[in-house]
Amino acid sequence: MDDNEELDYVEEDYYTTLNLPKTATQEEISKAYRNLSRIFHPDKHGNGENKQKAELMFNRTKKAYEVLSDPHQRAIYDSLGVKGLETEGWEIVHRTKTPAEIREEYERLAREREERRLQQKTNPRGNISVHINATDFFSRYDDDYYDTGMLPSIEVSGMSMSQSIEAPLSRTEVATLSGSLHLQNGVGSGNFVLSGKRLINKGWFEVDCGAGNGPVLGAKGSRNLTNRIFLNGGTTFHFRPNAIIPGLSGTIAIQLDKHTLGYLTYNAGLQNSMSTVVERNTEKYHCNVTATLGIPHCYLSASYTRKLLEQGLKLRVALKGGTFGFLSECGAEKKVSKYSSVSATVCVGVPSGVTLKIKIIRSTQTYLFPIHLSEEIIPAAIFYATVTPLLTYFVLKKMLFDPMNEATKQKNIEKVKETNSARMAEKRKEAESAVALMGALYERILKEEQKLQGLVITSALYGRFKDGEHASLEESDDMGFIQSNPFVIDVKIALQCLVKDSQLILYASSKSELPGFYDPCFGEEKQLKIDYEYKNNTYSSVFADLDAVHLPLVANEAT
């Protein structure tokens, strides 16, 4: 979709440059820097071309060391990357703060910037709901005096729309203009509300005025009583031709534990009710239990939502029963892009029958389509309400979502390639320079490992492989001629130079930032294929780009 998260500037990974984990100690950072300095220090390479290459690599290594050896710079880099170090104003932060405090401060600032950015993107906010009556599909109404036709009819029985716009007046004051329209079976109504909200100490206060079925005035506010208890309350006055109808509402909320909240709410006015809610929300699930006593209805309800964050999926079930009847819901919400998601919910109840609710969420614009399929519980209606959304989603995903996402991804990749072309060329030059300077170290480590029958890298390829078993630096073109493979590079020398005590350890990050490496196929999945000898046996292993590597894997079968 067009709101895919765009790829950004290619940044340095200082930890990978020094081949260190993010948890590395100051001693480990200093040791890694000293080891690389022995290879790349310009004074060790005379005055020729190699000295220029050494200066290039030494400056890169030195920069990584300077950032990671400074606790304050490292804290900012860990939170915000290279851009965080370049953020104007970071240097004025009190140097007396600990690295953890600096990290927390910049994480907070980053969250605030992201929230402001999202607020600008998502205003105005709106909801559109279209009620569709499709009961004629499953229970046709036969009329002797009216020809119903051969095909079942579908009608729009109602529609509602709401919209709001926020206008910040100052850092503590916000004005909001909102309005809504409702149409049901040819009868319509509407209202608009102008409100002003002001942040105060430990809470906020808001004044509302509007018009709909007569003028409306109201006031409400919120205040934190303690760290675990807060109170919301408000009052409204509905002015009718012959009366003024007051309304009162209040909610007290208590933080029961880290993930659980309890609410007690009272409403009086046009509708009277008292409800108790217990809500628990974690990274993996959200559940809610509600008990309500009111006029005209009393009911109990419970819902459970399972969050599958890696799949961008939420599964929800809910039950509700009371004086109005019984209702059960089962549905799923799928994230289709960064700011968009779709959901489908099957509602089965008495006396409501069977309803399919389709919801499309685009940022904070919501489009809801409740489709009433039958007034009674009919198995066929439940079956089609369950199967149809699934089939529709998979068809749209295959024919619309996936092609659009792939096209946008490729567009972003090309854009970043163009933006970073100079940087990527520099990275390749750095890698070639590093390999050229590793010759003496490579020969020394190779002889030591051969003498000990230790870890000897016989072949190492990095890049895009169609098949890890047949990865090669060469490929055939459409005419059958052999040519170099531009998406694979030889990293045997670079890896052998990282072998210590017959072990090769690489940490879980992109290998493209290691000395002697570069990214031959930016934006695409890469692998690292290593053939090696250990204790007179031959082995072969293939790793994903972000996998950690620890060789030898002597449990592998010899090739």
Side-chain angles (χ1 to χ4, degrees):
M1 301 292 285
D2 58 287
D3 56 2
N4 268 346
E5 185 171 4
E6 292 189 1
L7 296 168
D8 207 343
Y9 179 78
V10 178
E11 287 193 340
E12 296 275 4
D13 186 333
Y14 294 142
Y15 288 100
T16 307
T17 297
L18 300 178
N19 193 28
L20 292 170
K22 293 185 182 298
T23 56
T25 63
Q26 289 296 323
E27 182 180 353
E28 291 172 333
I29 293 171
S30 298
K31 183 178 179 181
Y33 172 64
R34 288 195 300 269
N35 290 336
L36 290 176
S37 295
R38 294 190 187 102
I39 305 173
F40 301 130
H41 199 288
D43 292 345
K44 297 180 178 292
H45 297 279
N47 296 315
E49 182 181 352
N50 278 351
K51 184 172 184 177
Q52 295 179 352
K53 295 178 180 179
E55 288 175 349
L56 184 68
M57 290 304 303
F58 182 72
N59 289 336
R60 178 186 174 192
T61 305
K62 184 179 179 182
K63 178 63 177 176
Y65 171 72
E66 288 175 348
V67 171
L68 298 185
S69 61
D70 184 318
H72 296 85
Q73 291 194 57
R74 182 180 180 183
I76 297 167
Y77 173 74
D78 286 347
S79 299
L80 302 174
V82 175
K83 284 188 175 181
L85 297 171
E86 298 171 352
T87 301
E88 184 177 350
W90 79 267
E91 65 276 0
I92 67 175
V93 176
H94 295 297
R95 293 289 177 149
T96 56
K97 289 191 174 183
T98 65
E101 290 172 337
I102 294 289
R103 185 178 294 111
E104 291 175 358
E105 177 72 5
Y106 272 83
E107 287 175 346
R108 181 185 65 79
L109 294 175
R111 287 195 300 269
E112 290 180 353
R113 284 195 297 270
E114 179 67 12
E115 289 171 359
R116 288 195 296 269
R117 186 180 68 84
L118 289 176
Q119 286 175 356
Q120 293 172 354
K121 283 179 173 289
T122 57
N123 282 331
R125 303 182 180 187
N127 295 274
I128 297 177
S129 180
V130 180
H131 299 265
I132 300 173
N133 188 342
T135 56
D136 205 32
F137 268 92
F138 300 98
S139 181
R140 301 204 66 182
Y141 178 72
D142 296 326
D143 192 334
D144 294 335
Y145 301 98
Y146 179 72
D147 184 9
T148 56
M150 296 181 60
L151 298 176
S153 64
I154 300 176
E155 62 179 18
V156 176
S157 59
M159 180 180 292
S160 61
M161 294 180 291
S162 64
Q163 194 80 15
S164 67
I165 298 175
E166 292 185 356
L169 304 179
S170 67
R171 295 181 61 183
T172 59
E173 297 175 339
V174 177
T176 303
L177 178 63
S178 60
S180 62
L181 290 172
H182 306 276
L183 180 66
Q184 187 71 31
N185 296 324
V187 179
S189 64
N191 64 74
F192 78 90
V193 176
L194 176 64
S195 63
K197 184 176 183 179
R198 181 170 187 173
L199 300 179
I200 58 176
N201 185 30
K202 295 184 179 181
W204 53 268
F205 180 75
E206 181 176 300
V207 176
D208 304 328
C209 62
N213 188 11
V216 178
L217 294 177
K220 53 189 174 183
S222 175
R223 184 173 178 82
N224 295 332
L225 302 181
T226 68
N227 291 334
R228 298 178 55 195
I229 302 175
F230 66 88
L231 177 67
N232 293 339
T235 182
T236 58
F237 294 92
H238 297 262
F239 294 86
R240 300 296 170 83
N242 300 316
I244 298 177
I245 303 176
L248 181 67
S249 65
T251 299
I252 184 169
I254 303 176
Q255 186 87 38
L256 302 176
D257 62 33
K258 182 178 179 181
H259 300 289
T260 308
L261 279 171
Y263 300 90
L264 180 63
T265 301
Y266 175 75
N267 290 300
L270 295 176
Q271 292 185 341
N272 298 314
S273 67
M274 178 175 286
S275 63
T276 300
V277 180
V278 177
E279 183 178 54
R280 182 169 179 82
N281 190 12
T282 70
E283 292 183 356
K284 294 183 177 181
Y285 67 88
H286 173 271
C287 59
N288 178 297
V289 178
T290 303
T292 298
L293 297 175
I295 300 174
H297 293 301
C298 301
Y299 62 86
L300 292 173
S301 68
S303 67
Y304 177 83
T305 301
R306 179 68 176 179
K307 304 175 185 178
L308 305 175
L309 299 181
E310 293 184 358
Q311 293 80 18
L313 184 65
K314 295 180 181 179
L315 304 176
R316 180 178 181 270
V317 293
L319 297 173
K320 187 176 182 180
T323 56
F324 66 91
F326 173 80
L327 180 68
S328 64
E329 296 183 354
C330 180
E333 180 180 317
K334 173 67 176 176
K335 187 174 183 179
V336 296
S337 63
K338 185 178 181 182
Y339 296 113
S340 301
S341 60
V342 295
S343 71
T345 303
V346 180
C347 306
V348 180
V350 177
S352 58
V354 181
T355 301
L356 171 63
K357 294 181 179 179
I358 304 294
K359 183 187 291 186
I360 302 172
I361 303 171
R362 170 72 176 178
S363 188
T364 54
Q365 301 290 320
T366 302
Y367 305 88
L368 179 62
F369 302 91
I371 305 172
H372 195 190
L373 298 177
S374 68
E375 296 180 353
E376 299 178 352
I377 300 178
I378 300 176
I382 299 175
F383 174 78
Y384 283 105
T386 304
V387 173
T388 302
L390 291 174
L391 293 177
T392 302
Y393 170 74
F394 285 116
V395 170
L396 290 177
K397 182 178 184 297
K398 203 70 176 177
M399 299 182 65
L400 181 63
F401 298 149
D402 287 351
M404 291 182 66
N405 283 332
E406 184 62 27
T408 303
K409 178 182 176 182
Q410 291 301 322
K411 182 179 178 180
N412 289 338
I413 289 174
E414 293 302 322
K415 180 180 177 181
V416 175
K417 280 183 178 180
E418 181 179 352
T419 303
N420 297 281
S421 58
R423 174 70 186 131
M424 295 173 71
E426 180 184 348
K427 295 286 289 182
R428 178 171 182 170
K429 183 179 178 181
E430 287 178 356
E432 293 172 348
S433 299
V435 173
L437 298 170
M438 289 176 177
L441 179 64
Y442 169 76
E443 294 295 337
R444 179 174 62 81
I445 293 178
L446 181 62
K447 289 180 181 179
E448 290 177 356
E449 294 298 323
Q450 288 175 336
K451 182 178 179 180
L452 298 172
Q453 296 183 3
L455 180 61
V456 176
I457 308 296
T458 57
S459 173
L461 301 177
Y462 175 69
R464 186 186 73 187
F465 306 151
K466 293 181 180 179
D467 183 355
E469 294 184 1
H470 301 92
S472 173
L473 291 170
E474 298 179 338
E475 64 176 1
S476 300
D477 60 15
D478 296 337
M479 301 295 293
F481 294 102
I482 302 298
Q483 60 181 7
S484 62
N485 187 346
F487 304 113
V488 178
I489 59 174
D490 186 348
V491 292
K492 180 179 74 171
I493 293 176
L495 286 184
Q496 187 69 65
C497 289
L498 293 174
V499 172
K500 295 179 182 178
D501 300 325
S502 297
Q503 292 189 61
L504 174 64
I505 300 176
L506 307 178
Y507 298 96
S509 60
S510 176
K511 310 302 181 289
S512 62
E513 292 292 322
L514 288 168
F517 283 65
Y518 67 92
D519 192 338
C521 47
F522 179 79
E524 301 184 45
E525 292 186 3
K526 292 169 282 292
Q527 294 175 297
L528 175 62
K529 183 177 185 293
I530 306 175
D531 298 329
Y532 62 98
E533 295 178 355
Y534 183 73
K535 301 300 182 184
N536 293 325
N537 291 317
T538 304
Y539 303 92
S540 182
S541 300
V542 178
F543 304 90
D545 187 29
L546 299 179
D547 284 350
V549 176
H550 193 166
L551 297 181
L553 297 175
V554 294
N556 286 2
E557 294 183 0
T559 58

